[in-house]
């Protein structure tokens, strides 16, 4: 099981690189839809999470999450062994 | 006193700073407007926000603020114009508050000084979209539709992995069977149509775009989409400013 700090770092890096944002623009309370420039970027972010963490149901689950903290909590609570 | 008088005059003379899309097929009791970011300043758009929207604006990342304001501006403009046309009432943009509902589908409240706050989601269906400095919004009377969805996209190159993720296998091969310019156009159009449908359904990306098949696209601005388990759905599309595709659906 990864530590929360490690997951938080990975999530922020994925968001920053996929959405072309500065790390400073991303907080735990940031709303994912607000960070995305448009729906295509949001879709690409969802695919990036699915690919990085290799969780089969990630698309449907992650799309329902609202904030950066929600994503971090979701990934941390996903059973060990489903992460890459 | 003079300041208040000036504000009242300016609001009475409020003009919708948008261009009506002439080529979009006319839909009954429906209004569509498109607005370019360089047509109106951020300060003007900010002045149209309600107090709640100004609080919300502060939470938006700096690099996204202009597009967010543009979306609010065109949304309020289309609501203002629609209510004036179909209800003969002059609700001013600063009295309209655009809010998100569960699932991300937007709706709006009218904040009237005498009537108080009235939610409009039972009377109207509403959708908005923005892309690279251009925004578009659509409103329709609830009695003619179960939902509306609109999407605008700048014609762009998609990473191949992204295309393969949202297109069905047949769509992917169909889009790739053209020269580079037409391929970009076709892939963008497919995304635009699917996104408009997902907005009309009120699910957004909770339904994977690949579950929607684009059955037919004609040059006259019509298309047919099919979500697995649902009947075929007609959609409309057009181009604006030669750079953007707009797709619209009324369920």
């Amino acid at each position: 099981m990864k530590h929360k700090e490690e997951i938080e770092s990975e999530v922020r890096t994925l968001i920053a690189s996929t959405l072309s944002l500065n790390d400073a623009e991303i907080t735990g309370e940031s709303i994912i839809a607000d960070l995305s420039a448009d729906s295509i970027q949001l879709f690409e972010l969802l695919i990036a999470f699915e690919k990085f963490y290799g969780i089969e149901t990630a698309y449907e689950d992650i799309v329902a999450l609202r904030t950066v903290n929600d994503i971090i909590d979701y990934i941390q609570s996903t059973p060990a062994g489903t992460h890459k | 006193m003079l300041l208040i008088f000036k504000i009242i005059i300016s609001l009475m003379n409020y003009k919708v700073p948008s261009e009506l899309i002439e080529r979009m097929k006319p839909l009954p009791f429906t209004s569509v407007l498109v607005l370019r970011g360089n047509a109106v300043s951020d300060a003007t758009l900010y002045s149209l926000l309600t107090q709640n929207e100004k609080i919300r604006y502060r939470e938006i990342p700096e690099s996204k603020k202009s597009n967010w304001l543009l979306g609010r501006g065109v949304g309020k403009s289309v609501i203002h114009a629609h209510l004036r046309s179909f209800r003969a009432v002059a609700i001013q943009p600063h009295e309209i508050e655009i809010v998100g509902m569960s699932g991300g589908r937007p709706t709006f409240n009218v904040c009237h000084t005498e009537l108080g706050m009235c939610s409009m989601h039972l009377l109207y269906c509403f959708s908005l979209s923005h892309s690279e400095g251009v925004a578009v919004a659509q409103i329709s009377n609830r009695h003619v539709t179960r939902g509306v969805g609109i999407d605008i996209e700048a014609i762009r190159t998609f990473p191949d992995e992204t295309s393969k993720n949202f297109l069905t296998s047949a769509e992917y091969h169909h889009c790739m069977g053209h020269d580079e310019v037409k391929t970009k156009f076709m892939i963008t159009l497919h995304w635009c149509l699917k996104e408009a449908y997902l907005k009309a359904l009120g699910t957004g990306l909770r339904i994977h775009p690949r579950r929607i098949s684009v059955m037919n696209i004609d040059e006259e601005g019509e298309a047919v989409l099919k979500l697995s388990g649902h009947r075929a759905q007609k959609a409309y599309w057009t181009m604006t400013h030669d750079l953007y595709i707009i797709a619209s659906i009324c369920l």
Side-chain angles (χ1 to χ4, degrees), chain B:
Chain B
M1 190 66 185
L2 182 61
L3 178 63
I4 293 171
F5 181 72
K6 280 182 177 176
I7 292 172
I8 291 171
I9 291 296
S10 70
L11 291 176
M12 284 172 67
N13 292 332
Y14 177 77
K15 284 186 176 178
V16 176
S18 306
E19 310 155 52
L20 195 61
I21 302 171
E22 301 291 352
R23 282 174 293 173
M24 184 73 83
K25 297 259 180 176
L27 298 164
F29 300 104
T30 300
S31 304
V32 177
L33 288 171
V34 60
L35 177 62
R36 283 191 84 130
N38 56 11
V40 57
S41 70
D42 281 3
T44 301
L45 294 171
Y46 184 80
S47 72
L48 303 180
L49 300 181
T50 65
Q51 284 307 313
N52 285 337
E53 287 172 326
K54 285 177 180 172
I55 293 168
R56 180 90 177 82
Y57 174 77
R58 289 200 286 270
E59 299 167 356
I60 305 295
E62 283 302 318
S63 57
K64 316 291 180 193
K65 281 188 187 313
S66 287
N67 265 336
W68 189 88
L69 278 177
L70 196 59
R72 259 47 189 178
V74 74
K76 286 163 181 269
S77 296
V78 79
I79 293 164
H80 168 83
H82 188 81
L83 295 180
R84 196 175 54 187
S85 297
F86 293 104
R87 301 278 182 195
V89 292
I91 303 294
Q92 301 303 333
H94 73 283
E95 297 174 318
I96 297 163
E97 186 167 284
I98 296 173
V99 292
M101 292 178 69
S102 61
R105 174 188 272 183
T107 184
F108 64 98
N109 302 324
V110 170
C111 320
H112 195 276
T113 46
E114 291 177 8
L115 299 175
M117 180 86 82
C118 306
S119 175
M120 295 287 125
H121 80 276
L122 294 176
L123 295 175
Y124 300 99
C125 296
F126 174 67
S127 181
L128 64 84
S129 174
H130 50 72
S131 176
E132 298 183 14
V134 177
V136 64
Q138 178 176 18
I139 179 172
S140 188
N141 291 6
R142 177 74 72 178
H143 73 274
V144 297
T145 180
R146 288 176 290 116
V148 298
I150 197 158
D151 194 49
I152 184 167
E153 300 294 345
I155 298 170
R156 50 168 278 182
T157 301
F158 284 75
D160 196 48
E161 187 180 11
T162 305
S163 303
K164 282 179 174 165
N165 260 305
F166 80 82
L167 295 171
T168 65
S169 178
E171 289 166 351
Y172 178 79
H173 288 104
H174 176 63
C175 289
M176 290 297 168
H178 306 279
D179 61 47
E180 189 181 346
V181 174
K182 185 78 184 285
T183 293
K184 275 168 61 174
F185 171 82
M186 289 295 287
I187 294 176
T188 308
L189 178 56
H190 275 71
W191 173 270
C192 214
L193 288 164
K194 291 183 181 209
E195 174 71 2
Y197 194 12
L198 293 173
K199 286 181 172 181
L201 290 168
T203 65
L205 291 170
R206 279 175 295 156
I207 291 179
H208 199 294
R210 210 167 36 213
R211 286 187 55 200
I212 298 170
S213 298
V214 178
M215 311 290 286
N216 185 52
I217 296 172
D218 75 23
E219 300 296 322
E220 301 300 313
E222 292 191 13
V224 178
L225 280 69
K226 179 88 171 66
L227 171 64
S228 51
H230 290 63
R231 64 183 175 82
Q233 173 66 48
K234 184 180 278 191
Y236 301 94
W237 66 273
T238 188
M239 282 185 66
T240 182
H241 303 92
D242 294 330
L243 294 170
Y244 302 89
I245 296 172
I246 299 170
S248 165
I249 286 184
C250 276
L251 296 181

Side-chain angles (χ1 to χ4, degrees), chain A residues 5-65:
Chain A
E5 292 74 21
E6 188 182 355
I7 294 172
E8 188 174 343
S9 172
E10 289 171 353
V11 167
R12 290 170 75 101
T13 302
L14 262 178
I15 293 173
S17 61
T18 309
L19 305 184
S20 305
L21 289 170
N22 297 322
D23 197 48
E25 290 186 292
I26 306 164
T27 69
E29 289 75 37
S30 296
I31 297 168
I32 300 299
D34 289 346
L35 294 174
S36 313
D38 54 31
S39 50
I40 298 171
Q41 270 203 348
L42 183 60
F43 180 71
E44 287 175 334
L45 182 64
L46 298 171
I47 298 301
F49 278 118
E50 190 178 37
K51 190 175 172 185
F52 188 85
Y53 288 105
I55 308 165
E56 283 187 9
T57 58
Y59 181 85
E60 284 76 11
D61 287 345
I62 288 179
V63 79
L65 302 174

